[in-house]
């Protein structure tokens, strides 16, 4: 298991990709690098590689972040799970314009905001 600062940094980096519509259009849709990525890879990286669910459990148990930050991460996690269970099999150009993905993008932005506001410090 990685240290909590690295873990959180990687999770927030992953969330930035989910929040950034310009990045999604440039990298996921047009394939203009230097990054090579897709919506599927971005979600898998956050949920599986960075193990968001375990981070949530550990962060709540050990008070690593504020309750507002935990709540924001949980809302995003639930939305990602709901989106995955919808079986949406669209290409990235279609996906990033869908109402479900726009909700995920907004939740990702709100999550990042929870980590940048002074009142949100742990």
């Amino acid at each position: 298991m990685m240290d909590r600062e690295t873990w959180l940094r990687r999770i927030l980096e992953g969330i930035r990709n989910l929040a950034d519509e310009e990045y999604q259009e440039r990298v996921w849709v047009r394939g203009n690098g230097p990054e090579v990525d897709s919506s599927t890879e971005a979600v898998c990286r956050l949920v599986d590689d960075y193990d968001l669910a375990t981070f949530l459990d550990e962060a709540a148990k050990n008070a690593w972040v504020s309750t507002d930050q935990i709540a924001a991460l949980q809302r995003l996690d639930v939305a990602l799970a709901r989106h995955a269970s919808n079986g949406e099999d669209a290409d990235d150009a279609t996906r990033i314009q869908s109402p479900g993905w726009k909700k995920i993008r907004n939740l990702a932005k709100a999550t990042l905001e929870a980590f940048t506001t002074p009142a949100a410090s742990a």
Side-chain angles (χ1 to χ4, degrees):
M1 186 182 306
M2 66 186 96
D3 66 86
R4 75 180 177 117
E5 289 83 17
T6 301
W7 202 357
L8 177 59
R9 187 180 75 249
R10 288 184 178 172
I11 285 172
L12 293 176
E13 287 169 0
I15 292 171
R16 277 185 200 92
N17 291 341
L18 299 181
D20 188 343
E21 186 174 4
E22 289 178 18
Y23 171 86
Q24 293 166 15
E25 176 67 32
R26 178 177 61 82
V27 177
W28 298 354
V29 176
R30 293 192 319 251
N32 294 341
E35 307 89 348
V36 176
D37 202 5
S38 71
S39 62
T40 301
E41 291 172 357
V43 171
C44 287
R45 191 169 40 253
L46 180 62
V47 174
D48 297 330
D49 297 350
Y50 300 159
D51 200 358
L52 180 58
T54 300
F55 179 84
L56 280 165
D57 291 342
E58 291 295 317
K61 182 173 65 176
N62 297 301
W64 289 349
V65 298
S66 73
T67 55
D68 289 344
Q69 292 166 332
I70 291 286
L73 286 167
Q74 288 172 331
R75 284 190 294 274
L76 180 59
D77 187 41
V78 167
L80 289 170
R82 190 172 295 137
H83 186 75
S85 70
N86 286 342
E88 189 176 309
D89 193 25
D91 61 58
D92 282 335
T94 303
R95 181 172 292 124
I96 69 170
Q97 296 304 318
S98 73
W101 192 262
K102 289 178 182 180
K103 179 179 179 178
I104 287 171
R105 193 166 35 241
N106 288 333
L107 286 169
K109 289 175 186 176
T111 301
L112 293 174
E113 179 66 24
F115 281 88
T116 59
T117 58
S121 59

mmCIF file of all heavy atoms in Angstrom, residues 42-83:
data_model
loop_
_atom_site.group_PDB
_atom_site.id
_atom_site.type_symbol
_atom_site.label_atom_id
_atom_site.label_comp_id
_atom_site.label_asym_id
_atom_site.label_seq_id
_atom_site.Cartn_x
_atom_site.Cartn_y
_atom_site.Cartn_z
ATOM 1 N N ALA A 42 -9.363 6.030 -17.708
ATOM 2 C CA ALA A 42 -9.362 6.994 -16.613
ATOM 3 C C ALA A 42 -10.179 6.483 -15.424
ATOM 4 O O ALA A 42 -9.753 6.590 -14.269
ATOM 5 C CB ALA A 42 -9.898 8.335 -17.095
ATOM 6 N N VAL A 43 -11.336 5.920 -15.706
ATOM 7 C CA VAL A 43 -12.180 5.397 -14.627
ATOM 8 C C VAL A 43 -11.521 4.176 -13.979
ATOM 9 O O VAL A 43 -11.474 4.059 -12.754
ATOM 10 C CB VAL A 43 -13.600 5.075 -15.132
ATOM 11 C CG1 VAL A 43 -14.408 4.329 -14.077
ATOM 12 C CG2 VAL A 43 -14.319 6.356 -15.553
ATOM 13 N N CYS A 44 -11.009 3.263 -14.796
ATOM 14 C CA CYS A 44 -10.344 2.071 -14.249
ATOM 15 C C CYS A 44 -9.133 2.445 -13.400
ATOM 16 O O CYS A 44 -8.896 1.853 -12.352
ATOM 17 C CB CYS A 44 -9.921 1.128 -15.367
ATOM 18 S SG CYS A 44 -11.315 0.264 -16.116
ATOM 19 N N ARG A 45 -8.392 3.449 -13.845
ATOM 20 C CA ARG A 45 -7.228 3.891 -13.086
ATOM 21 C C ARG A 45 -7.663 4.377 -11.701
ATOM 22 O O ARG A 45 -7.080 4.004 -10.685
ATOM 23 C CB ARG A 45 -6.507 4.997 -13.865
ATOM 24 C CG ARG A 45 -5.172 5.372 -13.342
ATOM 25 C CD ARG A 45 -4.381 6.277 -14.292
ATOM 26 N NE ARG A 45 -5.146 7.315 -14.972
ATOM 27 C CZ ARG A 45 -5.463 7.292 -16.272
ATOM 28 N NH1 ARG A 45 -5.085 6.299 -17.045
ATOM 29 N NH2 ARG A 45 -6.160 8.280 -16.805
ATOM 30 N N LEU A 46 -8.704 5.191 -11.653
ATOM 31 C CA LEU A 46 -9.172 5.744 -10.392
ATOM 32 C C LEU A 46 -9.790 4.677 -9.489
ATOM 33 O O LEU A 46 -9.438 4.564 -8.311
ATOM 34 C CB LEU A 46 -10.193 6.858 -10.662
ATOM 35 C CG LEU A 46 -10.788 7.543 -9.447
ATOM 36 C CD1 LEU A 46 -9.721 8.240 -8.620
ATOM 37 C CD2 LEU A 46 -11.857 8.528 -9.886
ATOM 38 N N VAL A 47 -10.681 3.893 -10.044
ATOM 39 C CA VAL A 47 -11.442 2.926 -9.246
ATOM 40 C C VAL A 47 -10.627 1.675 -8.920
ATOM 41 O O VAL A 47 -10.639 1.202 -7.780
ATOM 42 C CB VAL A 47 -12.755 2.552 -9.969
ATOM 43 C CG1 VAL A 47 -13.493 1.442 -9.253
ATOM 44 C CG2 VAL A 47 -13.645 3.783 -10.100
ATOM 45 N N ASP A 48 -9.910 1.154 -9.902
ATOM 46 C CA ASP A 48 -9.177 -0.104 -9.716
ATOM 47 C C ASP A 48 -7.717 0.114 -9.331
ATOM 48 O O ASP A 48 -7.276 -0.337 -8.274
ATOM 49 C CB ASP A 48 -9.246 -0.963 -10.979
ATOM 50 C CG ASP A 48 -10.665 -1.378 -11.325
ATOM 51 O OD1 ASP A 48 -11.481 -1.519 -10.399
ATOM 52 O OD2 ASP A 48 -10.955 -1.543 -12.519
ATOM 53 N N ASP A 49 -6.964 0.813 -10.178
ATOM 54 C CA ASP A 49 -5.535 0.987 -9.916
ATOM 55 C C ASP A 49 -5.279 1.765 -8.629
ATOM 56 O O ASP A 49 -4.406 1.403 -7.845
ATOM 57 C CB ASP A 49 -4.840 1.695 -11.079
ATOM 58 C CG ASP A 49 -4.884 0.912 -12.375
ATOM 59 O OD1 ASP A 49 -5.289 -0.273 -12.347
ATOM 60 O OD2 ASP A 49 -4.532 1.484 -13.424
ATOM 61 N N TYR A 50 -6.014 2.872 -8.449
ATOM 62 C CA TYR A 50 -5.834 3.694 -7.248
ATOM 63 C C TYR A 50 -6.752 3.265 -6.110
ATOM 64 O O TYR A 50 -6.703 3.838 -5.034
ATOM 65 C CB TYR A 50 -6.031 5.168 -7.562
ATOM 66 C CG TYR A 50 -5.076 5.718 -8.600
ATOM 67 C CD1 TYR A 50 -5.386 6.867 -9.302
ATOM 68 C CD2 TYR A 50 -3.863 5.096 -8.896
ATOM 69 C CE1 TYR A 50 -4.527 7.387 -10.260
ATOM 70 C CE2 TYR A 50 -3.004 5.601 -9.852
ATOM 71 C CZ TYR A 50 -3.339 6.742 -10.530
ATOM 72 O OH TYR A 50 -2.495 7.264 -11.478
ATOM 73 N N ASP A 51 -7.587 2.257 -6.353
ATOM 74 C CA ASP A 51 -8.439 1.628 -5.339
ATOM 75 C C ASP A 51 -9.205 2.657 -4.503
ATOM 76 O O ASP A 51 -9.039 2.751 -3.289
ATOM 77 C CB ASP A 51 -7.585 0.717 -4.455
ATOM 78 C CG ASP A 51 -8.410 -0.320 -3.724
ATOM 79 O OD1 ASP A 51 -9.648 -0.322 -3.860
ATOM 80 O OD2 ASP A 51 -7.805 -1.118 -2.995
ATOM 81 N N LEU A 52 -10.041 3.404 -5.185
ATOM 82 C CA LEU A 52 -10.797 4.469 -4.540
ATOM 83 C C LEU A 52 -11.607 3.977 -3.343
ATOM 84 O O LEU A 52 -11.638 4.629 -2.304
ATOM 85 C CB LEU A 52 -11.708 5.158 -5.556
ATOM 86 C CG LEU A 52 -12.564 6.306 -5.047
ATOM 87 C CD1 LEU A 52 -11.708 7.406 -4.425
ATOM 88 C CD2 LEU A 52 -13.435 6.857 -6.170
ATOM 89 N N ALA A 53 -12.241 2.825 -3.457
ATOM 90 C CA ALA A 53 -13.080 2.315 -2.357
ATOM 91 C C ALA A 53 -12.252 2.064 -1.091
ATOM 92 O O ALA A 53 -12.674 2.423 0.012
ATOM 93 C CB ALA A 53 -13.798 1.041 -2.780
ATOM 94 N N THR A 54 -11.086 1.471 -1.244
ATOM 95 C CA THR A 54 -10.235 1.220 -0.079
ATOM 96 C C THR A 54 -9.720 2.528 0.492
ATOM 97 O O THR A 54 -9.651 2.698 1.716
ATOM 98 C CB THR A 54 -9.063 0.286 -0.444
ATOM 99 O OG1 THR A 54 -9.603 -0.947 -0.914
ATOM 100 C CG2 THR A 54 -8.158 0.022 0.743
ATOM 101 N N PHE A 55 -9.365 3.478 -0.389
ATOM 102 C CA PHE A 55 -8.935 4.782 0.102
ATOM 103 C C PHE A 55 -10.042 5.412 0.933
ATOM 104 O O PHE A 55 -9.789 5.950 2.009
ATOM 105 C CB PHE A 55 -8.538 5.729 -1.039
ATOM 106 C CG PHE A 55 -8.131 7.075 -0.528
ATOM 107 C CD1 PHE A 55 -6.833 7.300 -0.097
ATOM 108 C CD2 PHE A 55 -9.054 8.109 -0.429
ATOM 109 C CE1 PHE A 55 -6.465 8.539 0.423
ATOM 110 C CE2 PHE A 55 -8.703 9.342 0.090
ATOM 111 C CZ PHE A 55 -7.396 9.555 0.513
ATOM 112 N N LEU A 56 -11.278 5.351 0.436
ATOM 113 C CA LEU A 56 -12.409 5.920 1.182
ATOM 114 C C LEU A 56 -12.532 5.296 2.565
ATOM 115 O O LEU A 56 -12.727 5.998 3.555
ATOM 116 C CB LEU A 56 -13.703 5.742 0.393
ATOM 117 C CG LEU A 56 -13.932 6.737 -0.723
ATOM 118 C CD1 LEU A 56 -15.025 6.257 -1.656
ATOM 119 C CD2 LEU A 56 -14.251 8.096 -0.164
ATOM 120 N N ASP A 57 -12.424 3.984 2.625
ATOM 121 C CA ASP A 57 -12.506 3.287 3.916
ATOM 122 C C ASP A 57 -11.391 3.731 4.855
ATOM 123 O O ASP A 57 -11.631 4.059 6.023
ATOM 124 C CB ASP A 57 -12.427 1.771 3.724
ATOM 125 C CG ASP A 57 -13.657 1.187 3.055
ATOM 126 O OD1 ASP A 57 -14.710 1.870 3.033
ATOM 127 O OD2 ASP A 57 -13.568 0.053 2.544
ATOM 128 N N GLU A 58 -10.167 3.730 4.354
ATOM 129 C CA GLU A 58 -9.005 4.107 5.177
ATOM 130 C C GLU A 58 -9.061 5.575 5.581
ATOM 131 O O GLU A 58 -8.752 5.924 6.716
ATOM 132 C CB GLU A 58 -7.695 3.809 4.432
ATOM 133 C CG GLU A 58 -7.418 2.333 4.255
ATOM 134 C CD GLU A 58 -7.200 1.608 5.573
ATOM 135 O OE1 GLU A 58 -6.485 2.141 6.454
ATOM 136 O OE2 GLU A 58 -7.755 0.502 5.738
ATOM 137 N N ALA A 59 -9.432 6.434 4.645
ATOM 138 C CA ALA A 59 -9.494 7.864 4.937
ATOM 139 C C ALA A 59 -10.544 8.165 6.001
ATOM 140 O O ALA A 59 -10.312 8.986 6.895
ATOM 141 C CB ALA A 59 -9.778 8.644 3.659
ATOM 142 N N ALA A 60 -11.685 7.498 5.936
ATOM 143 C CA ALA A 60 -12.730 7.704 6.936
ATOM 144 C C ALA A 60 -12.300 7.145 8.297
ATOM 145 O O ALA A 60 -12.465 7.799 9.322
ATOM 146 C CB ALA A 60 -14.029 7.060 6.480
ATOM 147 N N LYS A 61 -11.743 5.960 8.280
ATOM 148 C CA LYS A 61 -11.325 5.302 9.518
ATOM 149 C C LYS A 61 -10.213 6.073 10.227
ATOM 150 O O LYS A 61 -10.195 6.179 11.459
ATOM 151 C CB LYS A 61 -10.869 3.873 9.208
ATOM 152 C CG LYS A 61 -10.445 3.062 10.421
ATOM 153 C CD LYS A 61 -10.177 1.620 10.060
ATOM 154 C CE LYS A 61 -8.986 1.523 9.131
ATOM 155 N NZ LYS A 61 -8.606 0.141 8.802
ATOM 156 N N ASN A 62 -9.287 6.639 9.455
ATOM 157 C CA ASN A 62 -8.110 7.293 10.027
ATOM 158 C C ASN A 62 -8.160 8.816 9.990
ATOM 159 O O ASN A 62 -7.167 9.460 10.330
ATOM 160 C CB ASN A 62 -6.855 6.816 9.278
ATOM 161 C CG ASN A 62 -6.637 5.335 9.463
ATOM 162 O OD1 ASN A 62 -6.484 4.863 10.579
ATOM 163 N ND2 ASN A 62 -6.631 4.597 8.355
ATOM 164 N N ALA A 63 -9.300 9.371 9.607
ATOM 165 C CA ALA A 63 -9.489 10.827 9.542
ATOM 166 C C ALA A 63 -8.405 11.508 8.714
ATOM 167 O O ALA A 63 -7.849 12.523 9.098
ATOM 168 C CB ALA A 63 -9.562 11.421 10.950
ATOM 169 N N TRP A 64 -8.114 10.926 7.543
ATOM 170 C CA TRP A 64 -7.098 11.494 6.652
ATOM 171 C C TRP A 64 -7.574 12.768 5.986
ATOM 172 O O TRP A 64 -6.761 13.617 5.635
ATOM 173 C CB TRP A 64 -6.711 10.493 5.576
ATOM 174 C CG TRP A 64 -5.908 9.326 6.035
ATOM 175 C CD1 TRP A 64 -5.300 9.155 7.253
ATOM 176 C CD2 TRP A 64 -5.606 8.158 5.282
ATOM 177 N NE1 TRP A 64 -4.644 7.961 7.295
ATOM 178 C CE2 TRP A 64 -4.813 7.323 6.091
ATOM 179 C CE3 TRP A 64 -5.927 7.745 4.001
ATOM 180 C CZ2 TRP A 64 -4.339 6.094 5.647
ATOM 181 C CZ3 TRP A 64 -5.457 6.527 3.564
ATOM 182 C CH2 TRP A 64 -4.664 5.712 4.384
ATOM 183 N N VAL A 65 -8.864 12.859 5.755
ATOM 184 C CA VAL A 65 -9.451 14.023 5.105
ATOM 185 C C VAL A 65 -10.738 14.376 5.845
ATOM 186 O O VAL A 65 -11.216 13.612 6.692
ATOM 187 C CB VAL A 65 -9.725 13.762 3.599
ATOM 188 C CG1 VAL A 65 -8.431 13.477 2.850
ATOM 189 C CG2 VAL A 65 -10.708 12.630 3.394
ATOM 190 N N SER A 66 -11.298 15.536 5.526
ATOM 191 C CA SER A 66 -12.502 15.993 6.223
ATOM 192 C C SER A 66 -13.725 15.161 5.823
ATOM 193 O O SER A 66 -13.725 14.466 4.798
ATOM 194 C CB SER A 66 -12.755 17.462 5.903
ATOM 195 O OG SER A 66 -13.235 17.603 4.580
ATOM 196 N N THR A 67 -14.768 15.283 6.605
ATOM 197 C CA THR A 67 -16.012 14.584 6.291
ATOM 198 C C THR A 67 -16.613 15.103 4.985
ATOM 199 O O THR A 67 -17.206 14.340 4.222
ATOM 200 C CB THR A 67 -17.042 14.693 7.431
ATOM 201 O OG1 THR A 67 -17.263 16.071 7.739
ATOM 202 C CG2 THR A 67 -16.555 13.974 8.676
ATOM 203 N N ASP A 68 -16.455 16.404 4.711
ATOM 204 C CA ASP A 68 -16.943 16.959 3.443
ATOM 205 C C ASP A 68 -16.184 16.355 2.267
ATOM 206 O O ASP A 68 -16.771 16.080 1.218
ATOM 207 C CB ASP A 68 -16.794 18.478 3.417
ATOM 208 C CG ASP A 68 -17.770 19.185 4.347
ATOM 209 O OD1 ASP A 68 -18.756 18.552 4.783
ATOM 210 O OD2 ASP A 68 -17.548 20.376 4.628
ATOM 211 N N GLN A 69 -14.892 16.163 2.421
ATOM 212 C CA GLN A 69 -14.091 15.574 1.354
ATOM 213 C C GLN A 69 -14.459 14.109 1.139
ATOM 214 O O GLN A 69 -14.570 13.655 -0.004
ATOM 215 C CB GLN A 69 -12.601 15.724 1.674
ATOM 216 C CG GLN A 69 -12.151 17.171 1.614
ATOM 217 C CD GLN A 69 -10.786 17.396 2.241
ATOM 218 O OE1 GLN A 69 -10.376 16.673 3.148
ATOM 219 N NE2 GLN A 69 -10.089 18.423 1.772
ATOM 220 N N ILE A 70 -14.662 13.384 2.227
ATOM 221 C CA ILE A 70 -15.107 11.990 2.121
ATOM 222 C C ILE A 70 -16.446 11.929 1.388
ATOM 223 O O ILE A 70 -16.644 11.112 0.481
ATOM 224 C CB ILE A 70 -15.241 11.324 3.511
ATOM 225 C CG1 ILE A 70 -13.874 11.119 4.139
ATOM 226 C CG2 ILE A 70 -16.017 10.016 3.441
ATOM 227 C CD1 ILE A 70 -13.063 10.004 3.539
ATOM 228 N N ALA A 71 -17.365 12.809 1.769
ATOM 229 C CA ALA A 71 -18.691 12.817 1.145
ATOM 230 C C ALA A 71 -18.587 13.106 -0.357
ATOM 231 O O ALA A 71 -19.270 12.466 -1.162
ATOM 232 C CB ALA A 71 -19.587 13.837 1.832
ATOM 233 N N ALA A 72 -17.742 14.037 -0.730
ATOM 234 C CA ALA A 72 -17.570 14.362 -2.152
ATOM 235 C C ALA A 72 -17.001 13.166 -2.911
ATOM 236 O O ALA A 72 -17.474 12.837 -4.010
ATOM 237 C CB ALA A 72 -16.668 15.582 -2.301
ATOM 238 N N LEU A 73 -15.995 12.517 -2.340
ATOM 239 C CA LEU A 73 -15.415 11.327 -2.978
ATOM 240 C C LEU A 73 -16.450 10.212 -3.094
ATOM 241 O O LEU A 73 -16.517 9.527 -4.117
ATOM 242 C CB LEU A 73 -14.204 10.834 -2.176
ATOM 243 C CG LEU A 73 -12.927 11.667 -2.289
ATOM 244 C CD1 LEU A 73 -11.935 11.261 -1.201
ATOM 245 C CD2 LEU A 73 -12.309 11.520 -3.670
ATOM 246 N N GLN A 74 -17.268 10.036 -2.063
ATOM 247 C CA GLN A 74 -18.294 8.996 -2.091
ATOM 248 C C GLN A 74 -19.341 9.271 -3.165
ATOM 249 O O GLN A 74 -19.767 8.354 -3.874
ATOM 250 C CB GLN A 74 -18.956 8.862 -0.719
ATOM 251 C CG GLN A 74 -18.055 8.221 0.300
ATOM 252 C CD GLN A 74 -18.631 8.268 1.711
ATOM 253 O OE1 GLN A 74 -19.384 9.181 2.069
ATOM 254 N NE2 GLN A 74 -18.261 7.285 2.518
ATOM 255 N N ARG A 75 -19.757 10.534 -3.307
ATOM 256 C CA ARG A 75 -20.742 10.878 -4.347
ATOM 257 C C ARG A 75 -20.187 10.560 -5.734
ATOM 258 O O ARG A 75 -20.888 10.013 -6.585
ATOM 259 C CB ARG A 75 -21.139 12.354 -4.245
ATOM 260 C CG ARG A 75 -22.095 12.656 -3.097
ATOM 261 C CD ARG A 75 -22.646 14.072 -3.167
ATOM 262 N NE ARG A 75 -21.627 15.091 -2.967
ATOM 263 C CZ ARG A 75 -21.234 15.551 -1.780
ATOM 264 N NH1 ARG A 75 -21.779 15.072 -0.670
ATOM 265 N NH2 ARG A 75 -20.310 16.490 -1.701
ATOM 266 N N LEU A 76 -18.919 10.882 -5.942
ATOM 267 C CA LEU A 76 -18.299 10.586 -7.233
ATOM 268 C C LEU A 76 -18.192 9.081 -7.442
ATOM 269 O O LEU A 76 -18.502 8.584 -8.534
ATOM 270 C CB LEU A 76 -16.918 11.241 -7.319
ATOM 271 C CG LEU A 76 -16.156 11.008 -8.623
ATOM 272 C CD1 LEU A 76 -16.933 11.510 -9.832
ATOM 273 C CD2 LEU A 76 -14.785 11.666 -8.534
ATOM 274 N N ASP A 77 -17.802 8.352 -6.422
ATOM 275 C CA ASP A 77 -17.672 6.894 -6.515
ATOM 276 C C ASP A 77 -19.013 6.253 -6.870
ATOM 277 O O ASP A 77 -19.087 5.382 -7.741
ATOM 278 C CB ASP A 77 -17.129 6.344 -5.195
ATOM 279 C CG ASP A 77 -16.791 4.865 -5.257
ATOM 280 O OD1 ASP A 77 -16.234 4.413 -6.279
ATOM 281 O OD2 ASP A 77 -17.055 4.157 -4.262
ATOM 282 N N VAL A 78 -20.082 6.698 -6.235
ATOM 283 C CA VAL A 78 -21.422 6.165 -6.521
ATOM 284 C C VAL A 78 -21.825 6.488 -7.957
ATOM 285 O O VAL A 78 -22.352 5.631 -8.673
ATOM 286 C CB VAL A 78 -22.456 6.718 -5.514
ATOM 287 C CG1 VAL A 78 -23.888 6.457 -5.968
ATOM 288 C CG2 VAL A 78 -22.218 6.130 -4.131
ATOM 289 N N ALA A 79 -21.556 7.699 -8.413
ATOM 290 C CA ALA A 79 -21.907 8.081 -9.782
ATOM 291 C C ALA A 79 -21.121 7.260 -10.802
ATOM 292 O O ALA A 79 -21.675 6.847 -11.825
ATOM 293 C CB ALA A 79 -21.658 9.567 -9.995
ATOM 294 N N LEU A 80 -19.848 7.004 -10.518
ATOM 295 C CA LEU A 80 -19.040 6.177 -11.430
ATOM 296 C C LEU A 80 -19.574 4.750 -11.478
ATOM 297 O O LEU A 80 -19.665 4.159 -12.556
ATOM 298 C CB LEU A 80 -17.574 6.188 -10.996
ATOM 299 C CG LEU A 80 -16.835 7.497 -11.220
ATOM 300 C CD1 LEU A 80 -15.477 7.462 -10.538
ATOM 301 C CD2 LEU A 80 -16.691 7.800 -12.708
ATOM 302 N N ALA A 81 -19.960 4.201 -10.340
ATOM 303 C CA ALA A 81 -20.511 2.846 -10.299
ATOM 304 C C ALA A 81 -21.847 2.797 -11.047
ATOM 305 O O ALA A 81 -22.104 1.854 -11.807
ATOM 306 C CB ALA A 81 -20.690 2.387 -8.858
ATOM 307 N N ARG A 82 -22.664 3.799 -10.853
ATOM 308 C CA ARG A 82 -23.962 3.855 -11.534
ATOM 309 C C ARG A 82 -23.756 3.970 -13.044
ATOM 310 O O ARG A 82 -24.445 3.306 -13.821
ATOM 311 C CB ARG A 82 -24.766 5.043 -11.002
ATOM 312 C CG ARG A 82 -26.203 5.064 -11.446
ATOM 313 C CD ARG A 82 -27.006 6.133 -10.737
ATOM 314 N NE ARG A 82 -27.095 5.837 -9.318
ATOM 315 C CZ ARG A 82 -26.943 6.741 -8.352
ATOM 316 N NH1 ARG A 82 -26.704 7.997 -8.648
ATOM 317 N NH2 ARG A 82 -27.041 6.396 -7.084
ATOM 318 N N HIS A 83 -22.824 4.783 -13.443
ATOM 319 C CA HIS A 83 -22.529 4.961 -14.871
ATOM 320 C C HIS A 83 -22.043 3.643 -15.480
ATOM 321 O O HIS A 83 -22.476 3.270 -16.559
ATOM 322 C CB HIS A 83 -21.480 6.062 -15.048
ATOM 323 C CG HIS A 83 -21.225 6.418 -16.468
ATOM 324 N ND1 HIS A 83 -22.095 7.171 -17.218
ATOM 325 C CD2 HIS A 83 -20.195 6.121 -17.279
ATOM 326 C CE1 HIS A 83 -21.608 7.318 -18.429
ATOM 327 N NE2 HIS A 83 -20.454 6.695 -18.500
#
